[in-house]
Amino acid sequence: GIWKEEDRKQESGELKSNDGTQKKHYILSQAPSLSTDLSVLSYSLDKLAADVDTVQSHGDDDVRKRKKDLSKKIVQMMNVVDGFMKDCGVEG
């Protein structure tokens, strides 16, 4: 199967870990829906970040802190998803 062929290529040095194009092709060939899934996730995180930005704290320090913490977590998740998208060759 494809796994055996990829293992053979890895062992023989034909499949280089720094060969980004082949890596991207291989990842997407194993999970074709990954491109769409990552794009949807990226869009959803962007929308969530925009929604959080619209929240008004009205001077409430607790709301301000929670909004800031949530925004940081969303940005971290967006960075992870962007990294996955880059690894898979998905345009963002």
Side-chain angles (χ1 to χ4, degrees):
I2 195 164
W3 286 107
K4 290 179 184 173
E5 178 65 14
E6 293 301 323
D7 289 343
R8 185 196 63 74
K9 286 181 179 180
Q10 185 68 42
E11 289 171 8
S12 69
E14 291 176 46
L15 182 62
K16 305 279 189 247
S17 61
N18 62 356
D19 183 1
T21 304
Q22 193 164 1
K23 177 181 174 185
K24 291 171 190 175
H25 174 73
Y26 180 71
I27 291 170
L28 290 177
S29 73
Q30 296 303 301
S33 69
L34 191 58
S35 177
T36 301
D37 295 342
L38 286 171
S39 295
V40 168
L41 182 55
S42 178
Y43 172 81
S44 298
L45 288 170
D46 285 339
K47 186 169 176 357
L48 181 59
D51 289 346
V52 169
D53 285 343
T54 65
V55 171
Q56 299 294 318
S57 64
H58 299 289
D60 187 324
D61 288 339
D62 184 51
V63 172
R64 186 177 300 121
K65 181 186 180 318
R66 292 171 73 184
K67 179 180 170 182
K68 183 177 178 179
D69 291 345
L70 183 56
S71 292
K72 284 182 181 181
K73 289 181 190 291
I74 293 169
V75 168
Q76 289 171 344
M77 290 188 296
M78 290 169 73
N79 289 336
V80 170
V81 171
D82 288 347
F84 288 152
M85 291 175 74
K86 182 179 177 191
D87 286 347
C88 296
V90 177
E91 297 298 321

